[in-house]
Amino acid sequence: MVDRTGHRTVPETPRRTDRLSGPRYGNRPTMKDVAARAGVGLKTVSRVVNGEPGVTPETERRVQESIDALGFRRNDSARVLRKGSTASVGLVLEDLADPFYGPLSRAVEEVARAHGALLINGSSAEDADREQELVLALCARRVDGLVVIPAGDDHRYLEPELKAGVATVFVDRPAGLIDADVVLSDNFGGARDGVAHLIAHGHRRIGFIGDMPGIHTASERLRGYRAAMEDADIQVEDAWISLGVTDPERVRRATEEMLSHPDPVTAVFAGNNRVTVTVIRVLTEQSRQVALVGFDDIELADLLQPGVTVVAQDAAALGRTAAERLFRQLDGTLRAPERIELPTRLITRGSGELPPAD
Amino acid sequence: MVDRTGHRTVPETPRRTDRLSGPRYGNRPTMKDVAARAGVGLKTVSRVVNGEPGVTPETERRVQESIDALGFRRNDSARVLRKGSTASVGLVLEDLADPFYGPLSRAVEEVARAHGALLINGSSAEDADREQELVLALCARRVDGLVVIPAGDDHRYLEPELKAGVATVFVDRPAGLIDADVVLSDNFGGARDGVAHLIAHGHRRIGFIGDMPGIHTASERLRGYRAAMEDADIQVEDAWISLGVTDPERVRRATEEMLSHPDPVTAVFAGNNRVTVTVIRVLTEQSRQVALVGFDDIELADLLQPGVTVVAQDAAALGRTAAERLFRQLDGTLRAPERIELPTRLITRGSGELPPAD
DNA sequence: CTGAAAGCGCTTACAG
DNA sequence: CTGAAAGCGCTTACAG
């Protein structure tokens, strides 16, 4: 639509259905339109839009007037195609709604922002196929880099992408069957310290309720539990260990079973935040006092009676470390893939210092 | 790099620095490379890659072999440019790390996924300038639609974009000075019900501790408080109301002040989740029992002593409703902007049913 | 069934 | 200081 003064006119009412018909993103003006209206060349518009030097003030003014009048905004999709860098990073995690991933995502976002990149976010829902689908969709969009909290344990599908130079860092759990950067919490050491803390407070019969054994964090924490028990020369009984999905029903049943044994555990080590919450519910219903240490901090843990002793990991630090490493890969300052382990911190609040109830 | 059989060779070690120098995204093969290797035309490769009909099995096999050998993956950046739809939606919220936004983001993501779109996520950090910067960056990327939890109260900067047909839905707080779709919780009604609940349990001196008065949700909830008090013919005293930032120090001071008055409040209505948490901390330190109802549910609220009575909003429903409306805008099935209000739910757990301590 | 040409909206490399 | 041409990697419209 061009009126007789040569000005492109924009209809007052947005014609929304147009967006789907043509390739012109609604009907947004392009640099070509701006150039035509201002009576200059395309490259001059590009110079003004990008603040490049070499444009007389008068020309610049004319171009700027044209930009404002048409409501022009540079199409970064086109820019990206030509420049070869999308200035975006992909983050694939288990579930955006899980409070553990909030601070992690935010930390990745902040580092990306400092490098001028946007964040594309996706939840794998702990499904390996969905993880792969998401990761490959992000590769197809040519994100500059990828931060992945893996759901699956076979990442060979990423090999061509890594070869092609897609920067990638795995977080929270290692990559499977490929050599890649990974940033983890010290799950083994954290769990060992938490269990040792219970032992130091007189417990010997200690239960471990954890996530599915296939998950790296779950098996590492179990290994930490076993190491602490072995260090104290305690023979672990099968009935003290329960692994599986972390939904409340399963965890509740496991906890109640463990506590109803003839010779029950006097303390429980909970394998992650979801497990801890359910175990607390069950313990408050018991007549007997049972000590508890949980892996992962939870909100309001200090306000419960007793306060909940936890092994805390620093989710924000995990995200920050991974994202920084990603951008160092992109700088080219990095050589071989590394495995970085972040320390955990035992926070004592009461539940882990309860003596055995005998 | 082409060897003597005409095959493009890929170096074993990824030359990562290459990514930044040229426009070829690392050195990924393109459809042209695939076509050359397979000895077919570009369009034939496009047909195979997109599963279009009209390719003989033998040709398809040759193309597929070439794709696999080269590690080709379609560049969606280029596709997007030509097709005019980026199959992505932008979500701008206050802080990804805030637990309220986790379920909301996830809900938006799920709806986007059902429509084949990815989610680009950004935190405004409650800063109007940063909100605008993010929103406009997303517009430049030509996202198909935008879900915005606004930090600022003037969104006229979005007018050219709306005119150009960018689908937009505001959530949690309304848009400022422009006409746009908005999905809100019934902040007024929820607060009024919560306060009425305290009045029904015998309270007359009820405090209100809320967020900054400029924030829409904060003022609506205060309005609900006032309405409930007026319905009960209670004259509100100035000392019962405290508005401001929600950091723990400010809220703690406000709560303690309110409780140390000669004739102190017997109940507190907390304006949001962050306020509630701090108020709980202060109340547990008091010798006197003070009733509490909080706006927003918080995790473990049922495990505290007493359980925390809250006015819960459904964050996931807010996100889902907004995203669905966004895609209906894109369908073209929507006319005028609307304001949708979602109900809240009073959850009684004990703290709101405590009688006045006299 | 197949493919060459044009084009999406920018930037790059170059010439005037 | 300014701009025409070529190109980024795809898809579209069309011709054979």
Side-chain angles (χ1 to χ4, degrees):
Chain A
M1 253 175 283
V2 176
D3 66 20
R4 66 208 125 89
T5 61
H7 294 180
R8 192 187 155 83
T9 61
V10 176
E12 265 309 291
T13 318
R15 296 175 305 158
R16 282 192 161 140
T17 46
D18 279 12
R19 314 191 67 266
L20 299 173
S21 56
R24 294 244 0 234
Y25 301 94
N27 35 30
R28 303 204 68 147
T30 68
M31 283 192 181
K32 206 172 144 193
D33 298 320
V34 174
R37 186 189 213 271
V40 300
L42 189 57
K43 177 63 197 169
T44 299
V45 176
S46 174
R47 287 202 179 87
V48 172
V49 168
N50 296 302
E52 287 167 24
V55 183
T56 57
E58 163 56 14
T59 308
E60 172 162 9
R61 199 199 52 70
R62 280 221 321 287
V63 171
Q64 193 58 56
E65 188 277 334
S66 180
I67 287 172
D68 295 339
L70 296 177
F72 169 80
R73 180 170 311 284
R74 185 182 65 198
N75 184 336
D76 281 351
S77 278
R79 174 170 230 249
V80 145
L81 176 62
R82 188 63 238 244
K83 299 213 86 151
S85 148
T86 57
S88 60
V89 310
L91 171 61
V92 175
L93 37 73
E94 189 208 324
D95 180 5
L96 264 176
D98 185 319
F100 178 72
Y101 296 111
L104 196 155
S105 302
R106 178 68 195 272
V108 173
E109 186 200 345
E110 288 302 324
V111 175
R113 180 178 145 84
H115 287 83
L118 289 175
L119 219 212
I120 307 181
N121 232 314
S123 302
S124 70
E126 201 69 85
D127 172 338
D129 290 337
R130 189 163 158 180
E131 172 210 301
Q132 176 171 345
E133 179 193 323
L134 259 169
V135 165
L136 292 182
L138 292 166
C139 288
R141 300 268 173 137
R142 298 292 189 270
V143 291
D144 296 333
L146 223 37
V147 175
V148 181
I149 291 145
D153 48 13
D154 182 353
H155 296 94
R156 282 174 298 184
Y157 70 85
L158 256 176
E159 226 144 40
E161 314 298 325
L162 294 177
K163 279 228 173 76
V166 178
T168 308
V169 180
F170 284 76
V171 187
D172 192 40
R173 309 169 191 172
L177 308 179
I178 60 167
D179 195 25
D181 271 322
V182 51
V183 179
L184 304 167
S185 280
D186 180 9
N187 293 292
F188 169 76
R192 190 193 48 201
D193 293 353
V195 174
H197 182 74
L198 288 167
I199 295 171
H201 282 80
H203 297 273
R204 294 188 66 80
R205 307 182 66 80
I206 302 172
F208 180 94
I209 304 182
D211 210 333
M212 314 233 283
I215 298 176
H216 174 262
T217 49
S219 62
E220 280 296 289
R221 292 170 196 175
L222 177 58
R223 207 162 62 78
Y225 164 86
R226 287 195 186 280
M229 296 296 264
E230 192 173 334
D231 285 350
D233 285 322
I234 303 171
Q235 186 82 34
V236 175
E237 292 180 20
D238 286 351
W240 298 351
I241 295 181
S242 170
L243 305 176
V245 293
T246 58
D247 66 289
E249 295 70 36
R250 205 280 298 178
V251 172
R252 167 171 288 277
R253 228 176 311 116
T255 313
E256 285 170 346
E257 208 167 295
M258 223 172 257
L259 294 174
S260 63
H261 256 261
D263 197 4
V265 299
T266 62
V268 171
F269 187 84
N272 72 23
N273 52 355
R274 285 183 295 264
V275 172
T276 304
V277 169
T278 301
V279 169
I280 293 170
R281 281 185 218 284
V282 176
L283 294 190
T284 56
E285 298 160 8
Q286 301 287 313
S287 49
R288 206 155 32 91
Q289 263 201 343
V290 178
L292 168 68
V293 174
F295 206 106
D296 292 334
D297 202 2
I298 49 181
E299 203 173 2
L300 301 192
D302 58 321
L303 287 178
L304 297 177
Q305 300 294 344
V308 185
T309 294
V310 300
V311 177
Q313 44 181 335
D314 189 339
L318 283 172
R320 199 184 323 115
T321 306
E324 278 165 357
R325 197 156 172 93
L326 193 71
F327 283 99
R328 290 216 287 136
Q329 281 184 25
L330 290 170
D331 285 351
T333 56
L334 248 45
R335 310 131 265 288
E338 253 180 75
R339 175 195 179 99
I340 299 174
E341 220 163 67
L342 265 41
T344 59
R345 196 163 55 96
L346 182 75
I347 305 176
T348 58
R349 297 196 180 107
S351 74
E353 296 75 53
L354 295 173
D358 276 342
Chain B
M1 252 174 281
V2 177
D3 66 19
R4 67 207 125 89
T5 61
H7 293 180
R8 192 186 155 81
T9 61
V10 177
E12 263 309 291
T13 317
R15 295 175 307 157
R16 283 191 160 141
T17 45
D18 279 11
R19 314 191 66 266
L20 297 174
S21 57
R24 295 243 1 235
Y25 301 96
N27 34 30
R28 303 204 67 145
T30 68
M31 283 193 182
K32 205 171 146 197
D33 298 320
V34 173
R37 186 187 213 271
V40 300
L42 190 56
K43 178 62 199 171
T44 299
V45 176
S46 174
R47 286 202 179 87
V48 172
V49 168
N50 295 302
E52 288 167 24
V55 183
T56 56
E58 162 56 14
T59 307
E60 173 162 6
R61 197 199 53 71
R62 280 222 320 287
V63 171
Q64 192 57 57
E65 187 277 335
S66 180
I67 288 173
D68 295 340
L70 297 177
F72 170 79
R73 180 168 312 285
R74 185 182 66 197
N75 183 336
D76 281 351
S77 277
R79 175 170 227 249
V80 145
L81 177 61
R82 186 64 237 243
K83 300 213 87 151
S85 148
T86 57
S88 60
V89 310
L91 170 61
V92 175
L93 38 73
E94 190 208 323
D95 180 5
L96 264 175
D98 185 320
F100 179 72
Y101 296 112
L104 196 155
S105 303
R106 177 68 195 271
V108 173
E109 186 200 344
E110 288 302 326
V111 176
R113 181 177 144 85
H115 287 82
L118 289 175
L119 220 212
I120 307 182
N121 233 313
S123 303
S124 70
E126 201 68 86
D127 172 338
D129 290 337
R130 188 162 158 180
E131 172 210 301
Q132 176 171 345
E133 178 194 324
L134 259 169
V135 165
L136 292 181
L138 292 166
C139 289
R141 300 267 173 137
R142 297 294 189 267
V143 291
D144 295 333
L146 224 36
V147 175
V148 182
I149 291 146
D153 48 14
D154 182 354
H155 297 94
R156 283 174 297 184
Y157 70 84
L158 256 176
E159 226 143 41
E161 315 298 327
L162 294 176
K163 280 226 173 77
V166 178
T168 309
V169 179
F170 285 76
V171 186
D172 193 41
R173 308 169 191 172
L177 308 178
I178 61 167
D179 196 26
D181 272 322
V182 51
V183 179
L184 305 168
S185 280
D186 180 10
N187 293 292
F188 169 76
R192 190 193 48 203
D193 295 352
V195 174
H197 182 73
L198 288 167
I199 295 171
H201 282 81
H203 296 274
R204 294 187 65 79
R205 308 182 66 79
I206 302 172
F208 179 95
I209 304 182
D211 210 334
M212 313 232 284
I215 297 177
H216 173 262
T217 49
S219 63
E220 280 295 290
R221 292 171 195 175
L222 177 58
R223 206 163 63 78
Y225 164 85
R226 288 195 186 281
M229 297 296 263
E230 192 172 335
D231 285 350
D233 285 323
I234 303 172
Q235 185 82 35
V236 175
E237 293 180 19
D238 288 349
W240 299 351
I241 295 180
S242 170
L243 305 176
V245 293
T246 58
D247 66 288
E249 295 71 34
R250 205 279 299 178
V251 172
R252 167 171 288 278
R253 230 178 308 115
T255 313
E256 285 171 346
E257 209 167 294
M258 222 173 257
L259 294 174
S260 64
H261 255 259
D263 197 5
V265 299
T266 63
V268 171
F269 186 84
N272 73 22
N273 52 355
R274 284 182 295 263
V275 173
T276 303
V277 169
T278 302
V279 170
I280 293 170
R281 282 185 217 283
V282 176
L283 294 190
T284 54
E285 298 160 7
Q286 300 288 314
S287 50
R288 204 156 33 91
Q289 264 201 342
V290 178
L292 169 67
V293 174
F295 207 105
D296 293 333
D297 202 2
I298 49 182
E299 204 176 358
L300 301 192
D302 60 319
L303 286 179
L304 297 176
Q305 298 296 342
V308 185
T309 294
V310 299
V311 177
Q313 44 181 337
D314 189 340
L318 283 172
R320 198 185 322 114
T321 307
E324 278 164 358
R325 195 155 174 93
L326 193 71
F327 282 99
R328 291 216 286 134
Q329 280 185 26
L330 289 170
D331 285 350
T333 55
L334 247 45
R335 310 130 264 288
E338 253 181 75
R339 175 194 178 100
I340 299 174
E341 220 163 66
L342 265 42
T344 58
R345 197 162 54 96
L346 183 75
I347 305 175
T348 58
R349 297 199 180 106
S351 74
E353 295 75 53
L354 295 173
D358 279 342

